[in-house]
Coordinates of all heavy atoms in Angstrom, one line a residue:
M1 N 81.8 35.1 82.9 CA 82.0 33.9 83.6 C 83.5 33.6 83.8 O 84.3 33.8 82.9 CB 81.4 32.8 82.7 CG 81.4 31.3 83.3 SD 80.3 30.2 82.4 CE 81.6 29.7 81.1
Q2 N 83.9 33.2 85.1 CA 85.2 32.9 85.4 C 85.4 31.4 85.7 O 84.5 30.8 86.4 CB 85.6 33.8 86.6 CG 85.8 35.2 86.3 CD 86.2 36.0 87.6 OE1 85.5 36.0 88.6 NE2 87.3 36.6 87.5
K3 N 86.5 30.9 85.3 CA 86.7 29.5 85.7 C 88.1 29.5 86.4 O 89.0 30.3 86.3 CB 86.9 28.7 84.4 CG 85.6 28.5 83.7 CD 85.9 27.6 82.4 CE 84.6 27.4 81.6 NZ 84.8 26.7 80.4
G4 N 88.1 28.5 87.2 CA 89.3 28.3 88.0 C 89.4 26.8 88.5 O 88.4 26.2 88.5
D5 N 90.6 26.4 88.9 CA 90.8 25.1 89.4 C 91.2 25.1 90.8 O 92.0 26.0 91.2 CB 91.8 24.3 88.6 CG 91.3 24.1 87.1 OD1 90.3 23.4 87.0 OD2 91.9 24.7 86.1
L6 N 90.8 24.2 91.6 CA 91.3 24.0 93.0 C 91.5 22.6 93.3 O 90.9 21.7 92.7 CB 90.4 24.7 94.0 CG 89.0 24.3 94.1 CD1 88.5 24.5 95.5 CD2 88.1 25.1 93.2
I7 N 92.6 22.4 94.1 CA 92.9 21.0 94.5 C 92.7 20.9 96.0 O 93.2 21.7 96.7 CB 94.4 20.8 94.1 CG1 94.6 20.9 92.7 CG2 94.8 19.3 94.5 CD1 94.0 19.9 91.7
C8 N 92.1 19.8 96.4 CA 92.0 19.6 97.9 C 93.3 19.2 98.3 O 93.9 18.2 97.9 CB 90.9 18.4 98.0 SG 90.8 18.0 99.7
P9 N 93.8 20.0 99.4 CA 95.1 19.7 99.9 C 95.1 18.4 100.8 O 96.1 17.8 101.1 CB 95.4 20.8 100.7 CG 94.1 21.5 101.1 CD 93.2 21.2 100.0
K10 N 94.0 17.9 101.1 CA 93.9 16.8 102.0 C 93.9 15.4 101.2 O 94.6 14.5 101.4 CB 92.7 16.9 102.8 CG 92.6 15.7 103.9 CD 91.3 16.0 104.8 CE 91.1 14.8 105.7 NZ 90.0 15.0 106.7
C11 N 93.1 15.4 100.2 CA 92.9 14.1 99.5 C 93.3 14.2 98.0 O 93.5 13.1 97.3 CB 91.5 13.6 99.6 SG 90.3 14.5 98.5
G12 N 93.7 15.4 97.5 CA 94.1 15.5 96.2 C 93.1 15.5 95.1 O 93.4 15.6 93.9
A13 N 91.8 15.6 95.4 CA 90.8 15.7 94.4 C 90.9 17.1 93.7 O 91.2 18.1 94.4 CB 89.4 15.5 95.1
G14 N 90.6 17.1 92.5 CA 90.6 18.4 91.7 C 89.2 18.8 91.4 O 88.4 18.0 91.0
F15 N 89.0 20.1 91.5 CA 87.6 20.7 91.2 C 87.8 21.9 90.2 O 88.7 22.6 90.3 CB 86.9 21.1 92.4 CG 86.7 20.0 93.4 CD1 87.6 19.6 94.4 CD2 85.4 19.3 93.3 CE1 87.3 18.6 95.2 CE2 85.2 18.2 94.2 CZ 86.1 17.9 95.2
R16 N 86.8 22.0 89.3 CA 86.7 23.2 88.5 C 85.7 24.0 89.1 O 84.5 23.6 89.3 CB 86.3 22.7 87.1 CG 85.9 23.8 86.2 CD 87.0 24.7 85.8 NE 88.2 24.0 85.4 CZ 88.4 23.6 84.2 NH1 87.6 23.7 83.2 NH2 89.7 23.0 83.9
R17 N 86.0 25.3 89.3 CA 85.1 26.3 89.8 C 84.6 27.2 88.7 O 85.5 27.7 87.9 CB 85.8 27.1 90.9 CG 84.8 28.1 91.5 CD 85.4 29.4 92.0 NE 86.6 29.2 92.8 CZ 87.9 29.5 92.3 NH1 88.0 29.9 91.2 NH2 88.9 29.2 93.0
I18 N 83.4 27.4 88.6 CA 82.8 28.2 87.6 C 82.0 29.3 88.2 O 81.1 29.0 89.0 CB 81.9 27.5 86.5 CG1 82.7 26.4 85.9 CG2 81.3 28.4 85.5 CD1 82.0 25.5 85.0
T19 N 82.4 30.5 88.1 CA 81.8 31.7 88.7 C 81.0 32.4 87.7 O 81.4 32.9 86.7 CB 82.7 32.7 89.4 OG1 83.6 32.0 90.3 CG2 82.1 33.8 90.1
L20 N 79.6 32.6 88.0 CA 78.7 33.2 87.1 C 78.4 34.5 87.8 O 77.4 34.7 88.6 CB 77.4 32.4 87.0 CG 77.7 31.0 86.3 CD1 76.5 30.1 86.5 CD2 78.0 31.1 84.9
S21 N 79.2 35.6 87.5 CA 79.0 36.8 88.2 C 77.7 37.6 87.8 O 77.3 38.5 88.4 CB 80.3 37.8 87.9 OG 80.4 37.8 86.5
S22 N 77.1 37.2 86.7 CA 75.8 37.8 86.3 C 74.6 37.3 87.1 O 73.6 37.8 87.1 CB 75.6 37.5 84.9 OG 75.5 36.2 84.6
L23 N 74.9 36.2 87.9 CA 73.8 35.7 88.7 C 74.1 35.9 90.2 O 75.2 35.9 90.6 CB 73.7 34.1 88.5 CG 73.2 33.7 87.1 CD1 73.2 32.2 87.0 CD2 71.9 34.2 86.8
K24 N 73.0 36.0 90.9 CA 73.1 36.2 92.3 C 73.3 34.8 93.0 O 72.4 34.0 92.7 CB 71.8 36.9 92.8 CG 71.9 37.3 94.3 CD 72.6 38.6 94.5 CE 72.4 39.0 96.0 NZ 73.3 40.1 96.3
G25 N 74.2 34.7 93.8 CA 74.4 33.4 94.4 C 74.0 33.4 95.9 O 73.1 34.2 96.2
E26 N 74.5 32.5 96.6 CA 74.1 32.3 98.0 C 75.4 32.2 98.8 O 76.4 31.7 98.3 CB 73.3 31.0 98.2 CG 71.9 31.0 97.6 CD 71.2 29.7 97.9 OE1 71.8 28.8 98.6 OE2 70.0 29.6 97.4
C27 N 75.4 32.8 100.0 CA 76.5 32.6 100.9 C 76.6 31.2 101.2 O 75.7 30.4 101.3 CB 76.3 33.4 102.2 SG 76.3 35.2 101.9
G28 N 77.9 30.7 101.4 CA 78.1 29.3 101.7 C 79.6 28.9 101.6 O 80.4 29.8 101.5
E29 N 79.7 27.7 101.7 CA 81.1 27.2 101.6 C 81.1 25.9 100.7 O 80.1 25.2 100.7 CB 81.6 26.8 103.0 CG 80.8 25.8 103.7 CD 81.2 25.6 105.2 OE1 81.9 26.5 105.7 OE2 80.8 24.5 105.8
F30 N 82.2 25.7 100.1 CA 82.4 24.5 99.4 C 83.3 23.5 100.0 O 84.3 23.8 100.4 CB 82.9 24.8 98.0 CG 83.1 23.6 97.1 CD1 82.1 22.8 96.7 CD2 84.5 23.2 96.8 CE1 82.4 21.7 95.9 CE2 84.7 22.1 96.1 CZ 83.6 21.3 95.6
R31 N 82.8 22.3 100.2 CA 83.5 21.2 100.8 C 83.8 20.2 99.8 O 83.1 19.9 98.9 CB 82.7 20.5 102.0 CG 82.4 21.4 103.2 CD 81.5 20.7 104.2 NE 81.3 21.5 105.3 CZ 82.0 21.4 106.5 NH1 83.0 20.5 106.5 NH2 81.7 22.2 107.5
C32 N 85.1 19.7 100.0 CA 85.4 18.5 99.1 C 84.4 17.4 99.3 O 84.0 17.0 100.3 CB 86.8 18.0 99.6 SG 87.4 16.6 98.7
T33 N 84.0 17.0 98.0 CA 83.0 15.9 98.1 C 83.5 14.6 98.4 O 82.8 13.6 98.6 CB 82.3 15.9 96.7 OG1 83.3 15.6 95.7 CG2 81.6 17.2 96.4
I34 N 84.8 14.5 98.4 CA 85.4 13.2 98.8 C 85.7 13.1 100.4 O 85.3 12.1 100.9 CB 86.8 13.0 98.1 CG1 86.6 13.2 96.6 CG2 87.4 11.7 98.3 CD1 85.7 12.1 95.8
C35 N 86.3 14.2 100.9 CA 86.8 14.0 102.2 C 86.2 15.1 103.1 O 86.4 15.1 104.3 CB 88.3 14.1 102.4 SG 88.9 15.8 101.9
D36 N 85.3 15.9 102.6 CA 84.5 16.8 103.4 C 85.3 18.0 104.0 O 84.9 18.7 104.9 CB 83.7 16.2 104.5 CG 82.5 17.0 104.9 OD1 81.9 17.5 103.9 OD2 82.1 16.9 106.1
R37 N 86.5 18.2 103.4 CA 87.3 19.4 103.9 C 86.7 20.6 103.3 O 86.4 20.7 102.1 CB 88.8 19.2 103.5 CG 89.8 20.2 104.0 CD 91.1 20.1 103.5 NE 92.1 20.7 104.3 CZ 92.4 22.0 104.3 NH1 91.7 22.8 103.6 NH2 93.3 22.4 105.1
V38 N 86.7 21.7 104.0 CA 86.2 23.0 103.5 C 87.3 23.6 102.6 O 88.4 23.8 103.0 CB 85.9 24.0 104.6 CG1 85.5 25.4 104.0 CG2 84.7 23.5 105.4
L39 N 86.9 23.8 101.3 CA 88.0 24.3 100.4 C 87.8 25.8 100.2 O 88.8 26.5 99.9 CB 87.9 23.6 99.1 CG 88.2 22.0 99.1 CD1 88.1 21.5 97.8 CD2 89.6 21.8 99.7
E40 N 86.6 26.3 100.1 CA 86.4 27.7 99.8 C 85.1 28.1 100.5 O 84.2 27.3 100.7 CB 86.3 27.9 98.2 CG 87.5 27.8 97.5 CD 87.4 28.4 96.1 OE1 86.4 28.2 95.5 OE2 88.3 29.0 95.6
V41 N 85.1 29.4 100.8 CA 83.9 30.1 101.4 C 83.6 31.2 100.4 O 84.5 31.9 100.0 CB 84.2 30.6 102.9 CG1 83.0 31.3 103.4 CG2 84.7 29.4 103.8
F42 N 82.4 31.4 100.2 CA 82.0 32.4 99.2 C 80.9 33.2 99.7 O 80.0 32.8 100.5 CB 81.7 31.8 97.8 CG 80.9 30.5 97.8 CD1 79.5 30.6 97.9 CD2 81.5 29.3 97.8 CE1 78.8 29.4 97.9 CE2 80.8 28.2 97.8 CZ 79.4 28.2 97.9
D43 N 80.7 34.4 99.2 CA 79.6 35.3 99.6 C 78.6 35.2 98.5 O 78.6 34.4 97.6 CB 80.1 36.7 99.9 CG 80.7 37.4 98.6 OD1 80.4 36.9 97.5 OD2 81.6 38.3 98.8
D44 N 77.5 36.2 98.6 CA 76.4 36.0 97.7 C 76.6 36.9 96.4 O 75.6 37.2 95.8 CB 75.1 36.3 98.4 CG 75.1 37.7 99.0 OD1 76.2 38.4 98.9 OD2 74.1 38.1 99.5
S45 N 77.8 37.4 96.1 CA 77.9 38.3 95.0 C 77.8 37.7 93.8 O 77.5 38.4 92.7 CB 79.2 39.1 95.2 OG 80.3 38.1 95.2
S46 N 78.0 36.4 93.7 CA 77.9 35.7 92.3 C 77.7 34.2 92.6 O 78.0 33.7 93.7 CB 79.2 35.9 91.6 OG 80.3 35.4 92.3
A47 N 77.1 33.6 91.6 CA 76.7 32.2 91.7 C 78.0 31.4 91.4 O 78.7 31.7 90.5 CB 75.6 31.8 90.8
V48 N 78.3 30.3 92.2 CA 79.4 29.6 92.0 C 79.0 28.1 91.9 O 78.2 27.6 92.6 CB 80.5 29.7 93.2 CG1 81.7 29.0 92.9 CG2 80.6 31.2 93.6
A49 N 79.6 27.5 90.9 CA 79.4 26.0 90.6 C 80.6 25.3 90.7 O 81.7 25.7 90.2 CB 78.6 25.8 89.4
Y50 N 80.7 24.1 91.2 CA 81.9 23.3 91.3 C 81.6 21.9 90.6 O 80.5 21.3 90.8 CB 82.3 23.1 92.7 CG 82.6 24.3 93.4 CD1 81.7 25.0 94.2 CD2 84.1 24.7 93.5 CE1 82.2 26.2 94.9 CE2 84.4 25.9 94.1 CZ 83.4 26.6 94.8 OH 83.8 27.7 95.5
R51 N 82.7 21.5 90.0 CA 82.6 20.1 89.4 C 83.8 19.4 89.7 O 84.9 19.8 89.5 CB 82.3 20.2 87.9 CG 82.4 19.0 87.1 CD 82.1 19.2 85.7 NE 80.7 19.7 85.5 CZ 80.2 20.0 84.3 NH1 81.0 19.9 83.2 NH2 79.0 20.5 84.2
L52 N 83.6 18.0 90.1 CA 84.8 17.3 90.4 C 85.4 16.9 89.1 O 84.8 16.4 88.1 CB 84.4 16.0 91.1 CG 85.4 14.9 91.4 CD1 86.4 15.5 92.4 CD2 84.8 13.7 92.0
T53 N 86.7 17.1 89.0 CA 87.4 16.8 87.7 C 88.5 15.8 87.9 O 88.8 15.1 86.9 CB 88.0 18.1 87.1 OG1 88.9 18.7 88.1 CG2 87.0 19.1 86.7
V54 N 89.1 15.8 89.0 CA 90.1 14.8 89.3 C 89.8 13.9 90.5 O 89.6 14.4 91.7 CB 91.5 15.5 89.5 CG1 92.5 14.4 89.9 CG2 91.9 16.3 88.3
V55 N 89.6 12.7 90.2 CA 89.3 11.8 91.4 C 90.7 11.4 92.1 O 91.6 11.0 91.3 CB 88.6 10.6 90.9 CG1 88.3 9.5 92.2 CG2 87.3 10.9 90.4
P56 N 90.8 11.5 93.3 CA 92.1 11.1 94.0 C 92.5 9.7 93.8 O 91.7 8.8 93.7 CB 91.9 11.5 95.4 CG 90.4 11.5 95.7 CD 89.9 12.0 94.3
A57 N 93.8 9.5 93.6 CA 94.3 8.1 93.4 C 94.0 7.3 94.6 O 93.7 6.1 94.5 CB 95.7 8.2 93.2
R58 N 94.0 7.8 95.8 CA 93.8 7.0 97.0 C 92.5 7.6 97.6 O 92.5 8.7 98.0 CB 94.9 7.2 97.9 CG 96.0 6.1 97.8 CD 96.9 6.1 99.0 NE 98.0 7.1 98.8 CZ 98.8 7.6 99.7 NH1 98.7 7.1 101.0 NH2 99.8 8.4 99.4
I59 N 91.6 6.7 97.8 CA 90.4 7.1 98.5 C 90.4 6.4 99.8 O 90.4 5.3 99.9 CB 89.1 6.8 97.7 CG1 89.2 7.7 96.4 CG2 87.9 7.1 98.5 CD1 88.0 7.4 95.5
F60 N 90.2 7.2 100.8 CA 90.2 6.6 102.2 C 88.9 5.9 102.4 O 87.8 6.4 102.2 CB 90.3 7.7 103.3 CG 91.6 8.4 103.1 CD1 91.8 9.6 102.4 CD2 92.8 7.8 103.6 CE1 92.9 10.3 102.4 CE2 94.0 8.5 103.5 CZ 94.0 9.7 102.9
V61 N 89.0 4.7 102.8 CA 87.8 3.9 103.0 C 87.4 3.8 104.5 O 88.4 3.5 105.2 CB 87.9 2.5 102.3 CG1 86.6 1.7 102.4 CG2 88.3 2.7 100.9
Ligands
LIG101 ZN1 89.4 16.2 99.8

């Protein structure tokens, strides 16, 4: 299991990425749940889960 952090360059939200290499995943992309910017694209080699860890100080309304 691999863990990593990523920050959305657009809105500043922080996410924790957890990669489960023992599990088969799905191709896809991860978008910021706040502003919908594409942050990562992944293949199906492993399952990836994301969790919002830092809520941006400024949220565009
Ligand atoms: Zn964002």
Side-chain angles (χ1 to χ4, degrees):
M1 189 166 82
Q2 288 181 302
K3 289 181 182 177
D5 291 299
L6 58 153
I7 302 292
C8 175
K10 184 174 175 184
C11 73
F15 297 89
R16 168 66 46 86
R17 181 209 316 108
I18 300 172
T19 304
L20 301 166
S21 53
S22 58
L23 291 179
K24 186 83 170 167
E26 295 180 358
C27 292
E29 59 189 18
F30 174 66
R31 289 174 180 267
C32 176
T33 56
I34 306 294
C35 70
D36 208 37
R37 188 185 200 282
V38 175
L39 296 182
E40 286 193 324
V41 178
F42 42 86
D43 61 24
D44 62 355
S45 60
S46 57
V48 188
Y50 294 92
R51 175 176 296 177
L52 178 67
T53 55
V54 179
V55 177
R58 267 189 278 164
I59 296 180
F60 299 98
V61 184

